[in-house]
Amino acid sequence: MSKIYIVEDDDAIRTELALALERNGYEALACTTFDHVVDDVLEASPDLVLLDLSLPQTDGQFICRELRSHSDVPIIVLTSRTTEVDEVMSMTLGADDFIPKPYSLRVLIARMQALLRRSSSAQGKTVLRHDGLELDVARSRALYEGSEVELTKNELRILSLLMRHAGTIVSREAIMRDLWNSDTFIDDNTLTVNINRLRATLDKIGVHGYLTTHRGQGYSV
């Protein structure tokens, strides 16, 4: 069941959309406060985000940019801000689709399905194994001695990259390029934070000291 995260401040629209998604076989999550939207979305690790642009205390385009800088999760903008500038800006900042309100639920579901298919195809259905740890890429889960834990998209990307290159050092630059798919400067501390989060996640299933830091070089498993 695909997990869809709704970022919409209108209670009625949010509730109606969540119910419609659940009737169509999706798991629907949503935020009701908008102070830490990006963190909330990343923590939920959804398969797709439905994002309004006009939000209290923040702006949907800012959220779109921040999400894309940390994750490759598919983003569909659903908004009443329907100018060409809004559409171009949203797509430039990383949205995968732009649907003006009011919208047809059938059209929305069809576009969601198309994005999810492409995302699933890109991710593949590979299972990686190394040193007792199993990584189910398709399900974004790590398994060890009967225990398993769900990974965020960044955790999945880092662990997948390191496991595919097991026994060799992967440079910090290579990991950052894989994470954010950009030559734009990314604060080096951001990668450190993501590495530490992955270590903490693996600790939950009893995998300690799996990632090795090579000072000035990168990381390995």
Side-chain angles (χ1 to χ4, degrees):
M1 179 185 295
S2 295
K3 186 189 302 181
I4 312 300
Y5 200 97
I6 303 168
V7 183
E8 166 64 65
D9 65 315
D10 187 298
D11 291 342
I13 294 176
R14 184 174 62 243
T15 300
E16 181 181 1
L17 182 53
L19 290 173
L21 292 176
E22 289 169 355
R23 285 196 300 269
N24 281 272
Y26 297 99
E27 178 184 356
L29 304 174
C31 54
T32 54
T33 60
F34 301 88
D35 298 323
H36 307 287
V37 175
V38 174
D39 290 339
D40 292 342
V41 173
L42 293 175
E43 183 177 352
S45 190
D47 298 294
L48 186 144
V49 175
L50 299 176
L51 174 65
D52 188 18
L53 293 184
S54 300
L55 299 167
Q57 306 162 14
T58 186
D59 181 79
Q61 289 178 343
F62 168 79
I63 292 171
C64 184
R65 183 187 68 189
E66 291 300 299
L67 282 176
R68 185 54 70 234
S69 72
H70 293 84
S71 171
D72 61 353
V73 61
I75 301 170
I76 297 180
V77 169
L78 298 176
T79 182
S80 55
R81 285 166 45 180
T82 57
T83 68
E84 182 178 331
V85 172
D86 283 314
E87 181 170 3
V88 170
M89 183 63 71
S90 296
M91 302 300 282
T92 300
L93 293 174
D96 297 279
D97 205 347
F98 185 98
I99 302 178
K101 295 177 180 177
Y103 51 83
S104 161
L105 182 61
R106 287 185 179 181
V107 171
L108 173 60
I109 295 295
R111 294 195 183 183
M112 285 172 49
Q113 289 173 341
L115 269 177
L116 289 167
R117 280 197 302 270
R118 289 201 295 271
S119 177
S120 175
S121 175
Q123 189 181 67
K125 296 185 177 181
T126 307
V127 174
L128 303 176
R129 297 179 179 86
H130 172 70
D131 202 17
L133 181 67
E134 180 176 301
L135 176 62
D136 188 331
V137 177
R139 296 172 59 235
S140 191
R141 288 184 173 273
L143 302 91
Y144 181 75
E145 294 185 349
S147 299
E148 66 176 83
V149 66
E150 184 173 359
L151 305 174
T152 66
K153 291 193 180 295
N154 277 5
E155 290 170 348
L156 174 66
R157 280 189 165 226
I158 294 171
L159 188 55
S160 174
L161 181 65
L162 294 177
M163 290 181 73
R164 291 178 194 277
H165 295 84
T168 64
I169 299 173
V170 181
S171 71
R172 294 178 64 89
E173 292 76 14
I175 297 172
M176 287 191 285
R177 280 197 304 270
D178 189 74
L179 276 177
W180 293 289
N181 192 28
S182 170
D183 292 327
T184 304
F185 173 75
I186 301 294
D187 184 357
D188 200 52
N189 288 331
T190 304
L191 176 59
T192 300
V193 169
N194 278 269
I195 291 288
N196 289 338
R197 285 176 178 169
L198 174 58
R199 283 179 167 140
T201 298
L202 294 177
D203 282 344
K204 295 177 182 177
I205 55 173
V207 180
H208 309 295
Y210 189 74
L211 277 64
T212 301
T213 300
H214 301 269
R215 189 177 297 277
Q217 299 180 69
Y219 301 92
S220 69
V221 298

